[in-house]
Amino acid sequence: MKLLQGKKVQEMSRRENKHDLLLKEIWAKVRKKHFFPELPDPAISESIDRVALEIKSKRIILSQSFIEDAARHLPIEKVIEALLDHGVAHYTYCPWDFHTHLTLYQKAKKVLKDKDKAQKSTEYFMDVVADTHCFKEKDTPISHLYRHMERGIMDEAIHALYQKIWGVDLNVQGYEEIARKLSRIPYLDRKPWPESIRRFSNIIQGLIESEEKSGTLNQPSPMGQNDLGRYSLEEMDQGLKEFAMATGDPSTFKEVVNDFEDELKDAGYDTNNTMGLGSGSPLDADALFYMKLAENYSLPIKKVPIEKSGSLYPMSHSPWELGKPFRDIDPWTSFGKVMPGITQIWERTEGEVFGEREGIPNCIVVIDSSGSMTNPRQRLSHAVLGAACASDAYLRNDATVAVYNFSDAKHGGSQILDYTRHRKKIYQALCHYYGGGTRLDIEDIESLQDPSLPDMFIITDMQITNLEVLIGYLNGLENRVTAVHIGENERAWHFKRSTKLRKNISVYSVNKKEDVPKIVLGKIREYFGIAT
Amino acid sequence: MINPFEDFKEYPYEKKKIPLDRIVQAKEKVMEQIVEGYLKLVEEEVKDLVWLVEHSRLIKAYSSALRTIQKIDYDIDDIEELCLELDKGDRIPYLISGPAGIYLAALCNNAKEEKIQLRLHELKRAFHFLGYRLPEGKTLILKGNAGDFIGASLSGGKIIVEGSAGNWAGAGMIDGDLVITDNAGQNTGAWMSGGEIHIEGHIIGIGKIIHGGRIYHRGNLIRPYETTTR
Amino acid sequence: MAMPKNREETNGRKKVRDIYEFIRDNLYLNRPDIRVGDEYFNSALLFSLLSALNRGKELIIGEPGLGKTTSAEYVGAMTYRLPLGLIWASEVSGHPEQTEEKIIGRPDLGRLNQGEEVVVWSFLAQLPVKIVDEINRLPETKQSMILDGVDRGNWEYLNDVIINEEYCLFATANYQDRGTNTLIAPLIDRFDVMVESGHPGPDIALLIGMKDRHENVLRSPEYERNFQEILLERQDYHEKMHLVEALCNRFGDHMEKEFHIKMLSKTERKRIRDCMEKLPFDLDANAFLRTMIAELSFCCKYGQKRSDEHCEEGCHYTGFLCYHIKNCISNRFPTSVRTYSQSLAWLMGDEAVSIDHMKAVLPYTLAHRVQWKDEFISQKQAGQRRDPLQIFMAKEMVNEVYRRYNEQGHRIKNALAVAYQALSGKDLEPIEGDHPIYVEIKRDIEEGR
């Protein structure tokens, strides 16, 4: 028995080694075919049985049982090559990055209204795009693999589509109507992908609902799930940032990010950690939205200024003339002679060196969240975005930020956040919306003052009931104050007139809310001495 | 002179084509023709920069649209795509609701398919005159809220609005069925001479002049008024 | 009987790899940080070796004390068969009081007093391995003087000229700190590559710390004296170099015999360079490089990128590199890419240069040549990375262009093929597409016709 077992182990070991060698050989071929993607070497695993392959942290892992099964119909090299082509195409073509993945999902969800259905549709769409790209642009045996594969309802429909758009026979009968509709979508044109997945989802909605009824909706596709494990943490971070910028809408962002909250956590991306707090706290998608969006508007870190070194250095030679002093004569280049036409003197200039970085003061952000301002959790609030940009700029230059968020301060409608570098706390304080009256409490702002004279940014629509008190207070300050008000009104004019004489106070009126971040950043640029 | 592309001398520049390329290209061509037809109609109809809803104008616009689209080999997916293009405004710089609706109606009426479905709930704009002169044998399903003059001059077909309709729904209808699962606006059924209108939601107003046909509200006949036998 | 060429080439490659491994395992201990094919290399060491082989100019940046200069010294010594002490003696250190006389040469004062102008050339000017330490501390004119010399291998002083047949330059620079100048753009553009000599990590750092810093197998006081005697002789430079070469060979044989360390001879280096230069580029590598150059030089509004002309928002090509950079890439860039990717492909034993080699080389040839817009820098600088910002951004951008090439590589190659036919007289329309390369190809066709 032991001998037999030993023999079996030996056989298995031989087989494994053979597979490994084959995999290595085919991987080199596939890599070349796909222009050398930066992917780790793939592997074959016995522990994957439900799907043909998985991708974890960019590593393609093939299912040994699937390979052996498929090898009954097709040479094993072709099976491996087809699977690798499919996996690599997901990396090199669709979705390529996390932002694209989120965008496709968001469009699918708009049609299908359900997370699981939208994920299913997104996965299939990405599979179609990746496979079609492979089929058209690379010499791939994918079609041979699909001809002999076990299929569910959705897979049958998708393979019927492939029959139509690739012009190959995959042994699928039926689904002509759905394949006809699906074939009109320009899968290989990246630009209309958001529109394409919308149409794709519309067309396959019926099939997805059938799968739901039959209880097979959550079963993974034979070619594996396009889950978030394929992305690195940096890619997820970058993707969220781009997605925030692209949507420009906190509720859309929130909806998608909340849907992916568990998957993000499983993949190791802790949204709370990126916001400067430990894990365990629930996700605040609104705060995350403004944080990621503000990163797109970021200012450069203040450069070390170039200044004159204060010392003179020999720079070049010039001819000595009668009457000029002797002390700068260079005896070497003068060959030891002192005579016009031969003797040379050193020209000295002040060198330019890098000076020291000036300190950046701390910042107080005063933000109006009264009823007349946009609710940042429902629609994009440019006021909050401007405040977020200011906070981000100061934090990245190693300063701290305090927040005073006010509505009707006398009746509990205000929040004071003391100086901190905790991003999540800052963004949460900025995003808080009271929606009540507009009255601030000067003592609250005064409590945040300190002898280092922090910079102050006030963003409001100036519909403040105790505006006079604010004017009086600001006129007594030495801090650099930037007030940005949205829209023109009598109160705003009054504020401007009353603070005109103070050189440390700048008042900006914006008619388009979109200008708020620009104004804020422009002012910070001036404060920080960053050249445009 | 040096040819800087010498390295690619032997490269075969005929690309591998798959049926997808042909299908997408053909579809694009059809869309171009359809869009061109719409723009031509608008140019003809809106010479004075204003388009008034007049019976004679409607007939003229509809005939003009029919003439244009008869040369195009399109299907119902193209009609839906036209709605999206009109809504997006990328390819079509201006949407004038009246001619747009008439054009869409002409497309629907002339389509090979008998059953046509348009997903209006995905669109931001309202389209008027959908189902204009829909003939017998055709069914038009509008998923979402529709604009004004839905089913105007309905000519035997069936229109189902899975949402609300605007004003003048069923205006001048001759025959056929108009079903509105939600609300209807003012002047519903004005000048109708035949056919049936079924409304499940609220009706803001019924047309003052009704020559024939029936209007049902939540299953109850409200026009003509029910007469009780004595 | 002469060895078959292939075997010669294989032997040469093995020797170069052995040099790399010897330095990696014994002298310059650091982490591998770049992957080419299946292999991992340390970028600073790899590019130093390639620079030494293909007569390149390398800028090495890094924190003080992380082996910037020592890596170059070891590579120079082993590639050119020079004892380490001689390399040390020839180094120029960057400080503001450096003069032409200290860097290039000086008059022989004894002969000058007798009325003869004879130049005593510096070791830097004479030797093929040129190391300038902390080049950014030199004033601009001195930087210019060295780079002018290394550009063509010409060194002039007092109307006398020496021309180096083969040479390579390694210049080191610390990061910006008080007391440093900047390397201005025209000067920095002359460097072929920029690499970082990074921290090796605590474990390797400990190993380095445990080594005896005074003992170095590449030193040989006796040979160093002999070399210095020859270099100080007042004779014709070319004759002197023959003597130097002969002494190099003896030193090389001595090192092989005593320490089993194989170094490269002049003949071997030439043979290696010839092999490298003959390596063809596959069509994808060719097209990919054109795509890259297009994105770095194109401007739809002004015809080409210029430092004093800035694109506005709303440009159609905002998704491409041309929108994010201020300057136009120079023609030295493709030269550097070509040389280094051929060298790398040769080292890997490949028969042609592929995108793989190019992707490995591009960030290092690009990092110091591109001036990014401030807004773009600020978006990237806060992200997580392991490389210094310039190299990181260059890697990101190469990746971006790679993605685009992946999507439309075939179309681009088709466009190039059609362009060839069109310029050869065939009546073909240029292929259009959404990338600067198509616009540039079309322009070439129109202007060619």
Side-chain angles (χ1 to χ4, degrees), chain C residues 323-372:
Chain C
Y323 185 71
H324 299 302
I325 61 177
K326 290 190 214 172
N327 64 322
C328 183
I329 199 71
S330 80
N331 286 334
R332 293 190 181 100
F333 166 69
T335 309
S336 305
V337 174
R338 177 188 62 79
T339 314
Y340 280 77
S341 48
Q342 279 177 319
S343 310
L344 185 59
W346 175 85
L347 188 67
M348 302 304 293
D350 293 324
E351 285 170 8
V353 178
S354 70
I355 287 186
D356 201 19
H357 307 117
M358 218 162 248
K359 273 173 63 192
V361 156
L362 273 167
Y364 300 95
T365 54
L366 195 52
H368 55 295
R369 289 182 157 121
V370 171
Q371 293 165 32
W372 302 103

Side-chain angles (χ1 to χ4, degrees), chain A residues 328-362:
Chain A
D328 286 331
I329 285 177
D330 182 353
W332 295 110
T333 52
S334 311
F335 311 121
K337 314 285 180 201
V338 181
M339 57 177 76
I342 293 177
T343 309
Q344 298 201 0
I345 55 170
W346 277 112
E347 291 287 339
R348 293 172 188 273
T349 55
E350 222 180 339
E352 278 184 350
V353 292
F354 290 101
E356 283 172 1
R357 221 186 288 265
E358 284 173 19
I360 303 288
N362 296 327

Side-chain angles (χ1 to χ4, degrees), chain C residues 17-246:
Chain C
R17 279 180 171 268
D18 287 344
I19 290 174
Y20 174 87
E21 283 164 19
F22 178 82
I23 300 176
R24 179 199 66 193
D25 296 337
N26 299 288
L27 300 172
Y28 178 74
L29 279 62
N30 213 320
R31 286 169 167 156
D33 58 0
I34 178 178
R35 180 184 170 174
V36 186
D38 289 331
E39 295 182 58
Y40 289 87
F41 297 93
N42 172 271
S43 58
L45 186 53
L46 174 68
F47 281 99
S48 296
L49 188 55
L50 296 181
S51 299
L53 287 171
N54 64 32
R55 298 182 291 188
K57 296 183 276 294
E58 184 185 56
L59 178 63
I60 311 170
I61 60 171
E63 289 287 282
L66 288 186
K68 298 188 293 295
T69 320
T70 44
S71 61
E73 287 165 356
Y74 297 142
V75 166
M78 291 195 71
T79 317
Y80 284 83
R81 282 184 167 177
L82 296 167
L84 195 61
L86 184 67
I87 303 269
W88 291 348
S90 69
E91 279 174 27
V92 164
S93 60
H95 58 83
E97 277 132 36
Q98 281 289 8
T99 62
E100 194 177 359
E101 283 67 33
K102 292 178 191 170
I103 296 173
I104 298 179
R106 59 172 180 80
D108 183 337
L109 298 171
R111 306 266 279 266
L112 183 67
N113 279 332
Q114 288 161 14
E116 287 176 63
E117 286 180 4
V118 176
V119 177
V120 179
W121 297 100
S122 68
F123 287 5
L124 179 88
Q126 294 186 81
L127 289 174
V129 178
K130 300 174 197 300
I131 299 179
V132 180
D133 212 10
E134 295 185 32
I135 193 170
N136 57 322
R137 296 192 68 210
L138 286 174
E140 196 185 302
T141 48
K142 301 299 178 293
Q143 293 174 18
S144 195
M145 185 198 320
I146 291 172
L147 285 160
D148 275 342
V150 179
D151 239 0
R152 295 183 178 90
N154 274 22
W155 302 91
E156 287 181 29
Y157 187 74
L158 282 189
N159 294 327
D160 199 359
V161 173
I162 59 170
I163 302 174
N164 302 142
E165 274 179 32
E166 75 177 327
Y167 52 89
C168 55
L169 171 70
F170 301 95
T172 71
N174 286 327
Y175 300 122
Q176 297 165 355
D177 60 11
R178 200 176 176 88
T180 63
N181 298 305
T182 53
L183 278 169
I184 63 170
L187 299 178
I188 206 171
D189 185 61
R190 293 182 187 192
F191 285 99
D192 290 305
V193 290
M194 181 173 87
V195 297
E196 187 197 30
S197 182
H199 193 273
D203 303 310
I204 297 176
L206 181 72
L207 288 179
I208 296 170
M210 295 299 182
K211 283 155 65 81
D212 184 348
R213 60 186 172 139
H214 295 294
E215 193 185 294
N216 196 307
V217 70
L218 295 181
R219 284 218 59 200
S220 171
E222 185 198 336
Y223 275 96
E224 284 157 19
R225 271 195 303 276
N226 292 342
F227 272 108
Q228 285 184 21
E229 274 168 24
I230 296 176
L231 290 172
L232 289 171
E233 297 235 348
R234 311 290 195 256
Q235 67 177 132
D236 177 68
Y237 175 69
H238 288 288
E239 283 167 24
K240 205 192 290 189
M241 284 298 109
H242 286 310
L243 295 173
V244 164
E245 188 56 32

Side-chain angles (χ1 to χ4, degrees), chain A residues 46-60:
Chain A
E46 286 177 1
S47 59
I48 302 172
D49 52 12
R50 290 168 69 204
V51 295
L53 72 153
E54 281 180 1
I55 305 179
K56 293 276 174 237
S57 301
K58 296 189 190 179
R59 191 163 199 226
I60 302 171

Side-chain angles (χ1 to χ4, degrees), chain A residues 234-259:
Chain A
E234 290 82 14
E235 282 173 331
M236 285 192 253
D237 201 54
Q238 181 65 20
L240 285 171
K241 188 168 134 185
E242 287 169 5
F243 188 60
M245 189 70 175
T247 57
D249 171 33
S251 44
T252 307
F253 181 88
K254 186 174 168 175
E255 188 189 335
V256 171
V257 169
N258 280 339
D259 283 350

Side-chain angles (χ1 to χ4, degrees), chain A residues 462-483:
Chain A
M462 287 299 177
Q463 307 282 350
I464 302 173
T465 46
N466 59 341
L467 186 63
E468 287 299 330
V469 174
L470 176 65
I471 291 170
Y473 175 69
L474 293 178
N475 277 333
L477 290 182
E478 299 293 328
N479 313 54
R480 293 188 294 208
V481 177
T482 303

Side-chain angles (χ1 to χ4, degrees), chain A residues 135 165 180 184 198 202, chain B residues 16 20 77-78 84 122:
Chain A
F135 185 83
I165 61 175
R180 187 192 65 81
R184 295 161 54 95
R198 193 198 59 78
N202 264 323
Chain B
K16 175 182 175 183
L20 176 68
D77 296 313
D78 295 313
L84 287 167
E122 292 170 11

